[in-house]
Amino acid sequence: MRLILLGPPGAGKGTQAQRLVERFKIVQLSTGDMLRAAVKAATPVGLKAKDVMARGELVPDDVVVAIVADRIEEADARNGFILDGFPRTVPQAEALDRMLDQKGLALDAVIELKVDEGLLLKRIEKRIADMTARGEPLRPDDNPESLKKRLDAYRAQTAPVTGYYACKGVLRTVDGMASVEKVSADIAAVLDPPSGPSGRPAEKPAPGRRNADGKVDGWPSRP
Ligand code: AMP
């Protein structure tokens, strides 16, 4: 299973990615986490990314693409992966397509968590307040100024990525404002639509069609 989770900061991508990791036994590849680790370890990439990230701006495409290209080569990603926070620009999406093509791989789905932007800032502010109350460390970009920049970057550079995948017919949209449980259930429904023996969506049998016992078939039962 190879998935992408798209959505603005605060949409719940990280939480849902964790659940998908458990469910499908795939790895979560979060470019934000990888870049934060690089900053912490003061690697050349980390030194380049540190200030850009703190300001809430996007790290250059070539830097992020190189990190992802290396990471998906690793053994634990062979079983599948869920990309969280990547691609964030159309050139990154194009680079990912080239990477997957070279390996003969394809994406199973791109899931967009759709959220009400008006409520998003409040949601993020609440998350920051909760983390502060629990004594958890905040990220350097968890401040109102950087948050606004992160949302601006999403609107300008990442929102067009949904159009890119919509054109390819792989985009699935889920209401990200629902409860965590409901969002998980909706993602599960998107990934496991009820299917017939062919694997294609189940169809209603032709009216009056009879089965081997001579009885009229009903609707296929959902698993
Ligand atoms: P995140 O943890 O996904 O919110 O990412 C935190 C920060 O890391 C972002 O605000 C960007 O500065 C940087 N970042 C993460 N992923 C990407 C990406 N795919 N492209 C460019 N910058 C990224």
Side-chain angles (χ1 to χ4, degrees):
M1 179 72 75
R2 285 173 206 89
L3 303 172
I4 293 178
L5 269 185
L6 287 177
K13 298 187 298 294
T15 305
Q16 294 301 328
Q18 277 302 320
R19 292 177 161 225
L20 289 161
V21 162
E22 279 162 34
R23 190 185 157 133
F24 292 107
K25 309 289 173 235
I26 52 179
V27 285
Q28 174 189 3
L29 307 184
S30 154
T31 42
D33 285 350
M34 291 180 223
L35 288 166
R36 278 184 287 277
V39 169
K40 201 167 169 203
T43 65
V45 164
L47 294 176
K48 247 192 240 178
K50 189 176 180 200
D51 293 339
V52 179
M53 289 174 73
R55 286 197 299 271
E57 293 165 11
L58 292 188
V59 173
D61 288 339
D62 56 340
V63 174
V64 186
V65 168
I67 294 180
V68 173
D70 285 348
R71 185 63 186 86
I72 63 175
E73 285 293 339
E74 288 178 30
D76 63 348
R78 287 215 188 106
N79 208 20
F81 50 76
I82 172 152
L83 287 165
D84 160 13
F86 181 91
R88 253 185 166 89
T89 64
V90 170
Q92 289 181 19
E94 290 166 346
L96 176 65
D97 274 352
R98 287 192 294 275
M99 265 182 240
L100 295 175
D101 272 355
Q102 277 166 11
K103 293 176 198 300
L105 301 174
L107 291 169
D108 291 282
V110 178
I111 300 166
E112 178 196 13
L113 298 181
K114 208 158 185 94
V115 290
D116 177 339
E117 285 226 10
L119 297 177
L120 205 53
L121 214 50
K122 284 207 181 73
R123 202 183 200 189
I124 303 175
E125 280 164 1
K126 182 177 180 308
R127 190 172 74 183
I128 293 176
D130 289 348
M131 286 173 72
T132 309
R134 288 197 297 266
E136 291 173 17
L138 290 181
R139 286 167 30 177
D141 56 354
D142 272 341
N143 60 74
E145 206 180 304
S146 299
L147 273 176
K148 205 186 150 299
K149 280 248 187 76
R150 282 157 67 194
L151 283 171
D152 288 347
Y154 182 82
R155 258 179 244 119
Q157 287 155 283
T158 311
V161 175
T162 56
Y164 177 85
Y165 287 118
C167 285
K168 286 176 166 281
V170 286
L171 185 73
R172 305 284 176 269
T173 300
V174 163
D175 174 13
M177 297 311 288
S179 67
V180 171
E181 291 305 327
K182 170 88 169 75
V183 176
S184 293
D186 289 350
I187 292 177
V190 155
L191 294 176
D192 296 325
S195 59
S198 66
R200 273 186 252 118
E203 286 165 18
K204 189 180 177 184
R209 194 169 76 191
R210 293 186 184 269
N211 64 21
D213 304 326
K215 295 196 183 105
V216 177
D217 281 334
W219 282 93
S221 56
R222 286 176 69 146

